[in-house]
Amino acid sequence: MSTVVHLSGPQRRGPDLKELIAKVSFGDQDAFSRLYDAVAGPVLGLVRRVLRDPAQSEEVAQEVMLEVWRTASRYRPERGEVLPWVLTMAHRRAVDRVRSAQAAADRDRRVAAQSHTPVYDEVAEQVEGRLEREQVRRCLKSLTEIQRESVTLAYYRGYSYREVADMLGTPLGTVKTRMRDGLIRLRDCLGVGS
């Protein structure tokens, strides 16, 4: 025995999206309102799956619907149905938003890395420099007069060994020996490893 089900009243169908988009392409606001009601839910759902942020999803969905209003005349029925056409726009727009956010984050990281300046304490740097200079002065005073003169002329005034020897009226070998001995004493006094 078969059961026949009778439907009371007409079977409910959704709006004809092709007809609505055609009217929207001519600026029909009522047709756009009905088209909006029919496709806004699927658009928002798709965008939310891509973006995962409810506020951004709503913003992008609104942008997509605005794009549908502006570009309705570009829809070609022979290329497919209206809903997939709108959802393609929505997917592209959502992916663009993700890429844009990623590019902005990458740009911010690069700028932060480039503009990062190490912590610098000018006062500490000056104090440290003064202490080092004072230690060098103290260690220079521990040298013999001839060692101090040789080191000072060569390292602080920029003269060559030959010029130092000529200025001091001393043989070159003697100047080299004095400077070597003086530098060894300076190294030991300053606590510098060899």
Side-chain angles (χ1 to χ4, degrees):
M1 177 153 107
S2 66
T3 309
V4 177
V5 177
H6 295 283
L7 298 173
S8 58
Q11 193 173 9
R12 180 166 168 104
R13 282 186 26 190
D16 182 353
L17 298 181
K18 286 183 181 180
E19 180 183 319
L20 290 175
I21 197 83
K23 290 179 179 179
V24 170
S25 70
F26 290 108
D28 185 329
Q29 292 180 4
D30 182 54
F32 179 71
S33 177
R34 293 189 353 234
L35 178 68
Y36 185 97
D37 291 342
V39 300
V43 165
L44 182 59
L46 172 68
V47 171
R48 256 199 193 150
R49 281 193 302 277
V50 174
L51 294 179
R52 302 189 192 277
D53 179 302
Q56 280 196 33
S57 298
E58 289 174 12
E59 185 178 318
V60 169
Q62 289 301 317
E63 290 171 5
V64 169
M65 295 312 298
L66 183 60
E67 186 176 355
V68 168
W69 171 256
R70 286 193 309 242
T71 63
S73 62
R74 293 186 195 157
Y75 170 73
R76 297 290 172 254
E78 64 275 5
R79 290 189 170 176
E81 297 297 319
V82 174
L83 185 58
W85 180 71
V86 173
L87 292 177
T88 299
M89 280 192 274
H91 186 262
R92 285 183 186 147
R93 182 73 64 132
V95 168
D96 285 348
R97 178 66 65 97
V98 169
R99 287 180 180 153
S100 175
Q102 183 62 48
D106 291 346
R107 192 172 39 253
D108 290 346
R109 276 193 293 279
R110 281 193 308 273
V111 168
Q114 289 171 354
S115 66
H116 174 72
T117 53
V119 176
Y120 176 72
D121 186 349
E122 189 175 332
V123 174
E125 185 76 21
Q126 288 175 357
V127 168
E128 188 175 312
R130 252 187 238 134
L131 290 173
E132 287 174 359
R133 285 190 299 276
E134 187 56 42
Q135 185 177 8
V136 169
R137 280 190 202 106
R138 184 176 45 78
C139 289
L140 277 171
K141 287 180 182 176
S142 72
L143 301 178
T144 66
E145 185 65 31
I146 297 170
Q147 288 173 338
R148 186 172 42 254
E149 279 182 314
S150 300
V151 170
T152 301
L153 289 172
Y155 288 94
Y156 290 102
R157 299 220 176 123
Y159 293 111
S160 68
Y161 287 179
R162 167 78 51 213
E163 292 170 325
V164 171
D166 291 342
M167 293 173 86
L168 297 177
T170 309
L172 180 60
T174 305
V175 167
K176 287 181 177 181
T177 301
R178 288 176 183 166
M179 288 181 60
R180 181 181 49 94
D181 292 343
L183 290 173
I184 289 170
R185 286 179 78 180
L186 275 175
R187 180 194 68 201
D188 293 343
C189 178
L190 292 170
V192 178
S194 51

